[in-house]
Amino acid sequence: MRYEENPFVEVEKLADGVWSLLSPGGCPTLCYLVEGAERALLIDTGFGVGDLKALCERLTDKPLLVVDTHSHGDHVLGNPQFDRVYIHALDLEAGRAANEPEQRRRFMDAPEGCGYTIGDYVPDGPCELVPIEAGYVFDLGGGHELEVFHTPGHTPGGICLLEKKRRMLFTGDSLVRTPTLIFFGQGELCTVEAFHEHLLPLQARKGEFDALYPGHFETPQPVELLDDMVTLSGLILQEPEKYDDWQDMHGNPQAAWRRNYGRAYIAFDRKHVYKKER
């Protein structure tokens, strides 16, 4: 369904008080609006096409909190519409950089027939980014709490959020169907090894959620995607030179290695496998 407040974003009601908001762009981004008894939480702000704030206010009358699952432009370009946005501390600086005018222009595209123009993007503007850590809880009232899990790999500060009462896990780009990309950035946290290690505590809590709600592609996904991703990342650590197929992603020929197991896919390159060179 689409609303006049933002005709570019496709809205789907997933449960009472929960909506997916499909933000258009080069790779359309699934944002989520989660409502509690006292507050609502917007998870990611997408590409920034159209008035996302007005759309959220159409769907809920609760005061709105906003969180970014990570710092990539397709998840944060709508941030300037909001005074304050939460983000993991390790993605704080990258999140600020993503909304610098020059960086924003890299993501702004309006191909023929898309239905929107460059003028429909959110204007540049200030936004306060507030750092959070693993274990932070967004209390929306009425027992609706979202706990933050740190799931690096795609970025150093990637997170997932568990809505305990509704048993929903929102996974950003950490757990997507095709594929999770681990070839960006530098440092130990941008590796398959760090990704694997941080998925294990999340897997230990899988009895607390019934489905995954990723930042791209089909939503929801079964919990088996998490199990398969744990297995797959472990296999890559055991055999880092093995892959199933390749694709030239973002012009980086090394990022073309792709391996799958069950429902899980990971695209990686050799230098982003281990936390320390082996």
Side-chain angles (χ1 to χ4, degrees):
M1 181 177 292
R2 297 179 188 268
Y3 296 88
E4 61 182 359
E5 286 83 357
N6 188 334
F8 314 114
V9 169
E10 181 71 27
V11 179
E12 180 180 355
K13 189 171 184 178
L14 303 175
D16 287 341
V18 183
W19 300 264
S20 66
L21 313 175
L22 185 62
S23 176
C27 180
T29 300
L30 283 162
C31 309
Y32 297 92
L33 179 63
V34 183
E35 185 182 60
E38 300 169 10
R39 287 167 289 277
L41 179 67
L42 174 63
I43 301 173
D44 287 330
T45 63
F47 278 94
V49 178
D51 193 337
L52 189 61
K53 183 178 182 182
L55 177 59
C56 290
E57 291 170 349
R58 165 71 178 261
L59 297 170
T60 179
D61 60 0
K62 304 296 191 299
L64 188 64
L65 305 172
V66 185
V67 62
D68 293 331
T69 60
H70 62 292
S71 57
H72 287 163
D74 53 334
H75 293 257
V76 307
L77 257 65
N79 282 5
Q81 277 206 297
F82 304 95
D83 294 331
R84 172 180 292 186
V85 176
Y86 295 86
I87 193 169
H88 193 279
L90 292 172
D91 268 19
L92 184 69
E93 292 306 318
R96 288 173 177 158
N99 264 305
E100 290 294 326
E102 184 176 340
Q103 290 298 314
R104 287 174 59 80
R105 303 297 176 267
R106 294 178 56 244
F107 282 89
M108 290 183 178
D109 189 18
E112 185 177 353
C114 70
Y116 57 88
T117 70
I118 295 296
D120 291 314
Y121 279 83
V122 172
D124 299 340
C127 171
E128 179 189 4
L129 289 183
V130 180
I132 56 174
E133 303 278 355
Y136 188 91
V137 174
F138 292 96
D139 185 353
L140 305 184
H144 294 290
E145 297 180 345
L146 286 96
E147 180 182 350
V148 172
F149 289 81
H150 183 204
T151 50
H154 185 62
T155 68
I159 63 170
C160 295
L161 297 112
L162 172 60
E163 212 283 26
K164 302 175 184 180
K165 190 170 185 178
R166 293 186 177 99
R167 298 179 58 83
M168 304 170 83
L169 184 72
F170 300 94
T171 63
D173 282 4
S174 295
L175 295 164
V176 293
R177 177 71 178 91
T178 54
T180 292
L181 309 181
I182 304 180
F183 55 78
F184 296 113
Q186 305 295 326
E188 293 185 355
L189 290 174
C190 295
T191 61
V192 175
E193 185 175 2
F195 180 61
H196 178 80
E197 290 176 353
H198 284 78
L199 288 185
L200 295 176
L202 186 58
Q203 187 183 40
R205 301 275 299 274
K206 70 177 185 178
E208 298 179 39
F209 47 91
D210 297 326
L212 315 182
Y213 296 82
H216 298 281
F217 312 111
E218 303 95 344
T219 192
Q221 289 291 322
V223 176
E224 286 75 20
L225 174 59
L226 170 59
D227 291 327
D228 289 347
M229 200 70 81
V230 170
T231 298
L232 175 58
S233 54
L235 291 172
I236 292 172
L237 294 176
Q238 294 171 19
E239 302 174 295
E241 306 294 338
K242 183 176 180 180
Y243 59 93
D244 297 313
D245 57 9
W246 66 275
Q247 59 190 90
D248 182 9
M249 306 184 71
H250 301 285
N252 178 358
Q254 289 185 313
W257 297 3
R258 190 170 73 167
R259 190 167 175 183
N260 72 286
Y261 177 88
R263 300 187 66 84
Y265 285 80
I266 294 177
F268 65 101
D269 64 18
R270 184 63 179 82
K271 65 182 180 180
H272 288 88
V273 173
Y274 300 116
K275 294 194 294 184
K276 295 189 182 297
E277 195 65 34
R278 299 186 185 181

